Amino acid sequence: DQQVKQNSPSLSVQEGRISILNCDYTNSMFDYFLWYKKYPAEGPTFLISISSIKDKNEDGRFTVFLNKSAKHLSLHIVPSQPGDSAVYFCAASARGNTPLVFGKGTRLSVIA
Amino acid sequence: SQTIHQWPATLVQPVGSPLSLECTVEGTSNPNLYWYRQAAGRGLQLLFYSVGIGQISSEVPQNLSASRPQDRQFILSSKKLLLSDSGFYLCALGRSGTQYFGPGTRLLVL
């Protein structure tokens, strides 16, 4: 049973436009959510996180939105740049340093 | 800040051979450590995690094992590799609810 789902395996966006990556979860005990970016043959890089007590967290061009009632979160990248092309993983955990549960990732391609 | 080392970076091994992948961390003490695998075209699968020396939790039954002989060392092993063990192996450490990943080891079993 997949507790964290990223239903879009890939997404193409033009440079300068907004990229929206979506993630759904099923476990209501999750209270901490993260997004990672991964280039081929490299380890994932932590991008941004959000606690369940918030519904929005912003860091530069990256904003994460959390809708707890819908068990849905999204990552917005504005404006999108070619260097943003990578695989983005959504992850979630319950209560602190428990292992993260990852989605299968969405491959973002930003076209110049 | 912490640093995560993994070696080797790439490994090609025949089926049935043993495996030992090493992960060491610097700049932190008593970290939670994790082993993940990313198979081709797949997501990140948690294999093992450790909250301290000698403490290992296994997430999936398979022919791999893990050990934590020192606080900052985490080892992934196998006695006999299978073709299905091919993949990208990632070590991570946990801090304040966030996990930070090492550079990974690409394993190809032929």
Side-chain angles (χ1 to χ4, degrees), chain A residues 57-73:
Chain A
N57 189 25
E58 191 172 351
D59 183 2
R61 295 186 297 116
F62 301 92
T63 303
V64 55
F65 294 92
L66 176 63
N67 182 335
K68 283 175 296 203
S69 60
K71 293 192 178 69
H72 177 83
L73 64 154

Side-chain angles (χ1 to χ4, degrees), chain B residues 40-63:
Chain B
R42 306 286 297 275
L44 296 170
Q45 179 187 32
L46 177 65
L47 302 175
F48 301 95
Y49 71 96
S50 171
V51 298
I53 295 174
Q55 300 178 65
I56 308 294
S57 296
S58 174
E59 288 297 302
V60 290
Q62 56 204 323
N63 69 319

Side-chain angles (χ1 to χ4, degrees), chain A residues 37 58-63 75-81 83-84:
Chain A
K37 175 180 179 179
E58 191 172 351
D59 183 2
R61 295 186 297 116
F62 301 92
T63 303
L75 175 68
H76 292 210
I77 307 174
V78 181
S80 302
Q81 299 173 353
D84 296 329

